[in-house]
Amino acid sequence: MSSEATEATPGSGSLADRITKPEESKPTDAPSTGEDGAPAGHNGSELAEPDYTVEVKLSDLQADPNNPLFSVKSFEDLGLDERILKGLATMNFRKPSKVQERALPLLMSNPPKNLVGQSQSGTGKTAAFVLNVLSRLDLSTPEMQSSPQALILAPTRELARQIVGVIQIMGQFLDGLVIGTAVPADSNARTGKMDCSVVVGTPGTVQDMIKRRNLNPAQLKVLVLDEADNMLDQQGLGDQCIRAKAMLPRNVQIVLFSATFPAHVYRYAGKFAPNANEITLQHEELTVEGIKQLYMDCDNEEQKYQNLVQLYGLLTVGSSIIFVRTRSSAIEIERRMVAEGHTVASLTGGVEGSQRDAVIDAFRNGDAKVLITTNVLARGIDVSTVSLVVNYDVPEEYAQNKPSGTPDYQTYLHRIGRTGRFGRIGVAISFVANRGEWEMLRKIQEHFGCNIERIDTNDWDEVEEIIKKTIKSTRAQSTFKN
């Protein structure tokens, strides 16, 4: 199931520019800004985590903050299986992150309790829910090894496959661990039976597999929704999540994690996961650090394309993602650029599953350095080499399948959050070709209280100097705020 949508004035130019959005004490609309815990060989950052406060709201008023497991300072404190600890060591996890310190005791308590967690990528949320899943598995018999005991749902096949990768690394020393991936099959492929202990998939496919009795939910102990706000809010996905949940045992532990939780989705999450403990990150202000935000004035749609071609040399300095509004735009831009001798790839929800897998794998390993995509890749995907993001089309909300003229603020944050990964540096460039796009970009700048600097496309030498200087600097901000 794809999460793809049918889809300012000049600032000071200071490298200290950043997006900021103060929030109240409810779970905050934090951007996705980092890696989820793998070493460099698995696209991890291995960089220090920023300073932040983790706030816990306990549904059980009897919970004892003096309990030694109220917060943990080492993974050993959790009484984890030695084989899981060995897997953690291979991922270069030396001690729990702040989110893990507070979330893991709540996740792993018995009897199991539901959890709603608001936490950016890079704070260890994937590792937290994977640890909980692995610790609850019974792999003592061949029958249990082939019985689904945990179900992890993600909005896209790309994020599902990324989560599978984390489970494979962390659980590599667990004898009998079998992981199944339940994502849409190619049109000529048959979906097999899920004889595995952990299932990671997309909601529609999982629901269909349960209906067809290819996935037996009788032994499920844990249900995890990653990017839960997107899953519960998006038309279609939310309904599928509800229907999938209705097919599961009533006593299943429900874990919701997301980088952002708009208030209306947060209220709904409380109903989906009743009586849940809550974890939120409390910053004085939430920021996308290390991202230089720019925009280009374009006379028309054709000039957008010409500017993209001019940028090609810079797009391949590291890796780059170009976000467009529609599948047809992605296909057309790829066709034209390839015809002109440029090496690019496109990935949209309309592409067959195996081809999508091949494209994202090529992008991860550096065989393809420029990726044209829709919002299908705006969330959750971590590729540490991405140094430049282009908003070919400014993200826009849709009402009844028609553009509304209102900017999609959350998608903007998630898109530009594909670069500037957790202490690394990055550049985000938005193309503006008409009055409507100009107004949306102005509103984005106003909404987040940030500066988006205009760059002059009449002097491409200067454009190249600005972007290369930023990408090559050790930090996009000399005094960035943690």
Side-chain angles (χ1 to χ4, degrees), residues 90-111:
T90 67
M91 298 180 74
N92 207 27
F93 278 116
R94 297 180 180 86
K95 64 177 185 176
S97 69
K98 290 191 178 183
V99 164
Q100 292 164 354
E101 282 182 13
R102 304 304 293 273
L104 285 169
L106 299 176
L107 276 169
M108 297 173 64
S109 65
N110 284 305

Side-chain angles (χ1 to χ4, degrees), residues 36-38 75 78 80-81 83-85 87-88 91 93 100 103-104 107-108 115 124-137 139 149-153 159-172 174 177 179 197-200 222-226 253 255 257:
D36 261 333
F75 292 113
L78 292 163
L80 290 167
D81 187 303
R83 295 169 297 176
I84 298 176
L85 291 172
L88 278 170
M91 298 180 74
F93 278 116
Q100 292 164 354
L104 285 169
L107 276 169
M108 297 173 64
L115 180 79
K125 66 182 177 68
T126 304
F129 67 66
V130 169
L131 267 179
N132 178 56
V133 162
L134 294 179
S135 70
R136 295 196 181 280
L137 297 179
L139 303 175
Q149 299 172 54
L151 173 60
I152 301 171
L153 297 179
L159 184 52
R161 292 179 72 237
Q162 182 172 287
I163 294 167
V164 167
V166 174
I167 301 171
Q168 287 173 334
I169 301 166
M170 196 180 294
Q172 63 185 290
L174 286 174
L177 173 64
I179 308 161
S197 31
V198 179
V199 177
V200 185
V222 186
L223 169 65
V224 178
L225 268 62
D226 196 13
Q253 180 189 26
V255 179
F257 265 116

Side-chain angles (χ1 to χ4, degrees), residues 186-407:
D186 289 357
S187 54
N188 59 353
R190 290 176 65 90
T191 305
K193 203 170 187 317
M194 287 284 113
D195 292 326
C196 53
S197 31
V198 179
V199 177
V200 185
T202 51
T205 302
V206 166
Q207 179 195 334
D208 186 61
M209 294 187 78
I210 295 174
K211 278 183 180 176
R212 294 174 183 270
R213 300 190 177 181
N214 285 332
L215 195 167
N216 181 358
Q219 299 295 326
L220 282 175
K221 305 172 184 177
V222 186
L223 169 65
V224 178
L225 268 62
D226 196 13
E227 298 293 340
D229 69 324
N230 183 246
M231 304 266 276
L232 296 177
D233 190 33
Q234 189 178 37
Q235 186 177 7
L237 277 184
D239 293 340
Q240 289 164 353
C241 288
I242 292 164
R243 287 194 287 268
K245 180 194 169 189
M247 299 173 178
L248 309 185
R250 288 186 174 275
N251 62 347
V252 69
Q253 180 189 26
I254 301 170
V255 179
L256 309 181
F257 265 116
S258 183
T260 57
F261 263 119
H264 68 288
V265 181
Y266 171 57
R267 288 191 294 270
Y268 182 71
K271 297 177 182 177
F272 191 88
N275 302 315
N277 293 319
E278 296 175 17
I279 295 279
T280 57
L281 301 193
Q282 295 299 310
H283 292 248
E284 283 186 21
E285 54 187 11
L286 293 160
T287 62
V288 173
E289 303 288 1
I291 300 175
K292 177 76 167 174
Q293 295 169 77
L294 308 168
Y295 78 92
M296 288 184 177
D297 266 329
C298 308
D299 292 336
N300 48 45
E301 289 294 317
E302 176 59 24
Q303 195 184 354
K304 279 188 181 182
Y305 175 77
Q306 296 303 330
N307 285 349
L308 189 65
V309 171
Q310 286 276 12
L311 279 171
Y312 181 81
L314 295 170
L315 295 173
T316 55
V317 170
S319 298
S320 304
I321 302 179
I322 302 156
F323 285 106
V324 298
R325 182 178 294 116
T326 64
R327 296 175 183 178
S328 57
S329 294
I331 293 166
E332 178 63 11
I333 293 168
E334 179 189 28
R335 184 194 65 76
R336 289 184 67 178
M337 292 191 77
V338 169
E340 293 175 25
H342 302 297
T343 303
V344 299
S346 70
L347 191 153
T348 70
V351 176
E352 284 274 30
S354 59
Q355 187 179 342
R356 282 173 65 171
D357 296 345
V359 170
I360 194 69
D361 290 345
F363 187 60
R364 283 190 185 283
N365 64 32
D367 291 341
K369 290 197 167 188
V370 180
L371 185 63
I372 306 165
T373 188
T374 50
N375 288 337
V376 70
L377 282 193
R379 284 171 168 265
I381 299 302
D382 289 317
V383 179
S384 60
T385 55
V386 174
S387 56
L388 181 60
V389 164
V390 175
N391 286 311
Y392 192 90
D393 299 303
V394 177
E396 183 175 4
E397 288 186 355
Y398 274 67
Q400 297 177 337
N401 293 323
K402 294 181 179 179
S404 66
T406 301

